[in-house]
């Protein structure tokens, strides 16, 4: 480079933190900047005027010479990826080459009065490449763990399916046997044997009915959470749950408008349990009201009756499993079903004036279709 223009360019290129090498079409090196000198240990004096292949042997290979030829024939820039060409320009010491990665770009370069040339830039991309490798390792590890998780989940699903099938078959067989046993007990009781035998037979029938209720509870408890939650219109839910002989003389009033809640499909069982509880334990219950109060981040569904209410000393235990005068499972199951979608239930009634159950439905689990 002899012109003032070339001198200015030379000074500028020497300040760059990127290795720069410029060659003529015959591959003679015309410029070798200080950065590449520092990296390789080959001085400008040793490199400039020499043939590129003699200084950087890789360029003597056929495919690299072909790339240079394309550039000089007017082709676009050539980029040598660090993935396939990690170290074309050797570093000062052999020990430094290990683990280093370079990105090489070869572009056409024109200088006045100098003719066609090519500029080769050398970037140290070791840090970036190592980050990419780490990312790939993390990605591969995550993919492996996800696959392991899928395999485990499939195995668990299969095991759960087998257990559910076994439980279902077992319940079915037990119920059939209990039904037959209950039938024979009924025949014996119809004979009115009297005395202790009559008493024992009646107790056996009560025990049979209790076992059937427990089997039914086991079925309901097993089915909890198996199906995806769905939206239920509360007024329709109350209406559909409050049917049957036990509600024949009961007035059930629902004032919840178009309120809908997101719940497990067993919500029908939960609502039935609450309504039945009001009748069974209210002693003289004749009226049940279901209303709601909307708060800033939740809605509370209120179920009230005009029965005897819940004694103060029992309020904290009515949702415990096994507590109660019947099976002790109804309110426990109700709380569990509601809890699947984040609902909470408490009893806040006044003893002697009726029971009052409050169901808190969290944000995102209730809606009013048709309202803004």
């Amino acid at each position: 480079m002899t012109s003032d223009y070339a001198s200015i360019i030379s000074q500028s290129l020497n300040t760059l933190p990127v290795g720069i090498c410029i060659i003529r079409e015959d591959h003679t090196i015309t410029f070798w900047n200080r950065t590449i000198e520092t990296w390789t240990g080959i001085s400008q004096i040793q490199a400039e005027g020499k043939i590129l292949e003699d200084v950087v042997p890789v360029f003597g290979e056929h495919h690299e010479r072909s790339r240079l030829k394309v550039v000089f024939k007017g082709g676009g820039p050539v980029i040598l990826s660090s993935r396939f060409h990690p170290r074309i320009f050797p570093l000062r010491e052999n020990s430094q080459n290990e683990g280093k990665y370079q990105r090489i770009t070869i572009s056409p370069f024109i200088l006045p009065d100098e003719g066609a040339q090519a500029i080769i830039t050398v970037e140290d991309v070791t840090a970036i490449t190592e980050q990419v490798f780490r990312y790939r390792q993390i990605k591969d590890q995550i993919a492996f763990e996800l696959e392991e998780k899928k395999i485990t989940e499939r195995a668990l699903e299969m095991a759960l399916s087998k257990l559910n099938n076994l439980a279902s078959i077992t319940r079915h067989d037990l119920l059939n046997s209990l039904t037959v046993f209950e039938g024979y007990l009924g025949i014996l009781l119809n004979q009115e044997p009297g005395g202790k035998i009559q008493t024992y037979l009646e107790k056996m029938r009560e025990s049979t009915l209790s076992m059937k209720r427990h089997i039914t509870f086991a079925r309901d408890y097993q089915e909890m959470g198996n199906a995806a939650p769905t939206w239920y219109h509360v007024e329709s839910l109350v209406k559909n749950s409050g049917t049957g002989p036990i509600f024949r003389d009961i007035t059930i009033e629902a004032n919840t408008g178009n309120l809908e809640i997101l719940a497990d499909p067993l919500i029908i069982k939960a609502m039935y349990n609450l309504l039945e509880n009001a009748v069974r334990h209210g002693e003289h219950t004749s009226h049940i009201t279901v209303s709601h109060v909307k708060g800033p981040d939740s809605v509370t569904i209120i179920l009230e009756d005009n029965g005897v209410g819940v004694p103060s000393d029992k309020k904290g235990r009515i949702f415990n499993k096994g507590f109660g005068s019947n099976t002790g499972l109804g309110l426990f199951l109700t709380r569990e079903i509601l809890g699947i979608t984040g609902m909470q239930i408490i009893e806040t009634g006044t003893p002697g004036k009726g029971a009052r159950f409050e169901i808190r439905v969290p944000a995102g689990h209730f809606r009013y279709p048709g309202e803004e």
Side-chain angles (χ1 to χ4, degrees):
M1 297 182 186
T2 57
S3 68
D4 292 338
Y5 180 70
S7 177
I8 293 173
I9 291 179
S10 175
Q11 292 176 13
S12 300
L13 295 181
N14 268 321
T15 63
L16 293 177
V18 176
I20 303 291
C21 171
I22 299 176
I23 62 173
R24 295 193 182 98
E25 193 168 358
D26 63 1
H27 296 189
T28 301
I29 299 173
T30 61
F31 180 73
W32 186 268
N33 81 339
R34 291 197 184 95
T35 299
I36 202 169
E37 176 183 282
T38 302
W39 286 353
T40 64
I42 301 172
S43 68
Q44 291 178 318
I45 295 174
Q46 291 173 310
E48 292 176 357
K50 302 292 193 304
I51 300 299
L52 177 64
E53 294 89 320
D54 294 336
V55 179
V56 186
V58 171
F59 285 103
E61 297 176 5
H62 175 72
H63 54 280
E64 301 303 342
R65 293 180 66 86
S66 297
R67 289 193 176 98
L68 290 172
K69 185 176 181 180
V70 169
V71 172
F72 282 111
K73 292 298 182 182
V78 172
I79 298 176
L80 305 182
S81 169
S82 62
R83 180 178 179 184
F84 302 107
H85 307 84
R87 291 170 297 280
I88 287 182
F89 282 76
L91 299 182
R92 181 184 296 272
E93 298 178 10
N94 289 333
S95 60
Q96 293 179 325
N97 284 270
E98 191 64 33
K100 295 293 184 179
Y101 294 88
Q102 298 170 350
R103 183 176 184 268
I104 310 296
T105 304
I106 307 172
S107 306
F109 186 70
I110 303 295
L111 279 175
D113 304 324
E114 294 287 339
Q117 299 194 46
I119 182 169
I120 303 172
T121 61
V122 186
E123 300 174 76
D124 186 338
V125 293
T126 301
I128 295 176
T129 303
E130 289 176 346
Q131 287 179 359
V132 170
F133 286 159
R134 283 195 294 269
Y135 166 76
R136 288 174 181 163
Q137 290 175 345
I138 293 171
K139 180 182 175 182
D140 291 343
Q141 180 63 29
I142 291 174
F144 173 77
E145 291 177 357
L146 286 175
E147 184 59 30
E148 287 287 298
K149 181 180 179 182
K150 288 179 182 178
I151 293 172
T152 302
E153 287 177 347
R154 285 195 292 268
L156 288 173
E157 287 174 1
M158 185 177 295
L160 181 60
S161 177
K162 290 180 178 179
L163 288 173
N164 285 341
N165 288 336
L166 177 61
S168 179
I169 293 170
T170 303
R171 283 197 307 271
H172 182 268
D173 291 344
L174 283 174
L175 282 173
N176 284 343
S177 298
L178 286 172
T179 299
V180 173
F181 186 66
E182 187 180 13
Y184 283 124
L185 284 176
I187 293 172
L188 291 174
L189 285 169
N190 287 336
Q191 301 299 317
E192 298 182 357
K196 290 186 177 180
I197 293 179
Q198 179 87 18
T199 302
Y200 293 152
L201 289 174
E202 288 176 352
K203 288 185 177 297
M204 290 172 67
R205 184 164 66 176
E206 290 175 5
S207 179
T208 302
L209 291 172
S210 177
M211 283 188 284
K212 291 178 73 174
R213 285 193 292 266
H214 277 81
I215 292 172
T216 301
F217 166 81
R219 179 200 64 201
D220 293 339
Y221 197 79
Q222 179 183 323
E223 291 178 356
M224 266 195 318
N226 285 346
T230 189
W231 290 98
Y232 289 87
H233 180 240
V234 176
E235 284 194 5
S236 299
L237 178 63
V238 174
K239 180 180 179 181
N240 293 333
S241 302
T243 58
I246 192 174
F247 303 112
R248 183 178 297 112
D249 300 320
I250 307 297
T251 300
I252 300 177
E253 182 182 357
N255 302 307
T256 54
N258 60 346
L259 172 64
E260 293 184 354
I261 58 174
L262 185 65
D264 185 272
L266 281 175
I267 187 65
I268 298 174
K269 178 74 173 180
M271 184 59 70
Y272 176 85
N273 286 345
L274 289 173
L275 296 174
E276 183 200 36
N277 183 80
V279 177
R280 186 182 297 278
H281 301 291
E283 296 184 9
H284 55 71
T285 300
S286 61
H287 193 273
I288 302 173
T289 302
V290 180
S291 57
H292 75 294
V293 176
K294 187 175 180 180
D297 61 351
S298 65
V299 68
T300 301
I301 300 172
I302 303 169
L303 190 148
E304 300 175 277
D305 64 61
N306 61 347
V308 297
V310 180
S312 299
D313 61 338
K314 295 182 179 180
K315 283 180 176 289
R317 294 179 292 162
I318 59 174
F319 295 104
N320 293 346
K321 184 180 179 182
F323 182 82
S325 57
N326 195 23
T327 62
L329 300 173
L331 291 180
F332 167 77
L333 182 64
T334 296
R335 184 188 64 183
E336 296 291 295
I337 293 170
L338 295 173
I340 291 174
T341 50
M343 289 184 273
Q344 299 171 305
I345 183 170
I346 58 174
E347 201 286 320
T348 60
T350 302
K353 294 185 179 181
R356 173 187 169 99
F357 290 94
E358 296 185 9
I359 302 171
R360 181 185 177 277
V361 185
H365 290 72
F366 67 89
R367 66 186 183 186
Y368 294 87
E371 295 186 11
E372 290 291 333

